[in-house]
Amino acid sequence: HPVLLSQGKDEYYLASGKEYVAYTNLEKAKEQHAKAKADLEEVGESLPDLEDELGNAQFAHEVAPDRESYEATKAELDRVQALYDAMIEKQTSAQATFDEFDGQLATLEETYNTEKKAREDQAKRLKDEANVDVDVYDPAAGPPELPEEPQAEGGNAEGGNAEGGNAEGGNAEGGNG
């Protein structure tokens, strides 16, 4: 039954597509989680030195003996404060991202495993019921390819051009008078 075989292959394609989506969602989450973790480590390494530098800049500014020194230390204090603020913002953002994906990874992994099993079950069904082997699917290689449609006897089943004609209508002016 070519129709049932075609349907089975379509269902395998659909299952492969669902697995691919689950796989890409999981991989993107892993990447973002790892990047957030690396950012947090970088902040952890940089922040103590930056806090010391900020404290020194604040002290130098507070004890500036004259107007010229005051202005110079103010510029340095502003520069270090901006670096410190940016580092704190990076820490806050990275922590939020880390926490978000830390909580999602297990669910995303479970979804991926469920979709992978559904695809494998469909492949087994095709083998058991129709003695058809499907290509092993690896979502890391990209989205699945459409299954080939069986060719109907007696010609091309693709269909013709269904664009139709011009539906604007004719000229309705007509008539004398």
Side-chain angles (χ1 to χ4, degrees), residues 122-133:
Q122 180 60 26
K124 184 177 182 322
R125 223 175 354 269
L126 282 169
K127 179 65 175 167
D128 292 347
E129 296 175 13
N131 198 28
V132 172
D133 288 316

Side-chain angles (χ1 to χ4, degrees), residues 17-130:
K18 288 180 175 181
E19 179 184 357
Y20 176 73
V21 169
Y23 172 82
T24 55
N25 288 343
L26 175 61
E27 290 303 306
K28 286 178 185 175
K30 284 179 180 178
E31 288 171 17
Q32 291 179 330
H33 187 255
K35 181 183 181 324
K37 184 177 181 181
D39 286 350
L40 286 171
E41 290 170 0
E42 179 188 329
V43 168
E45 292 170 8
S46 303
L47 199 55
D49 292 340
L50 201 49
E51 287 170 337
D52 289 345
E53 191 177 347
L54 181 59
N56 292 338
Q58 287 170 333
F59 179 75
H61 181 63
E62 290 169 6
V63 298
D66 56 41
R67 182 94 176 134
E68 187 176 319
S69 297
Y70 182 87
E71 293 298 326
T73 59
K74 174 71 172 137
E76 176 63 7
L77 176 59
D78 290 347
R79 183 189 72 78
V80 176
Q81 184 69 53
L83 290 173
Y84 178 81
D85 291 347
M87 189 63 68
I88 294 298
E89 173 58 33
K90 183 176 186 174
Q91 180 183 39
T92 302
S93 175
Q95 188 66 56
T97 300
F98 181 86
D99 292 346
E100 175 186 353
F101 287 106
D102 205 41
Q104 291 181 6
L105 283 175
T107 302
L108 291 169
E109 182 115 28
E110 185 179 313
T111 300
Y112 167 69
N113 290 332
T114 300
E115 297 301 346
K116 180 179 181 180
K117 182 168 181 349
R119 178 195 49 82
E120 290 169 344
D121 289 348
Q122 180 60 26
K124 184 177 182 322
R125 223 175 354 269
L126 282 169
K127 179 65 175 167
D128 292 347
E129 296 175 13

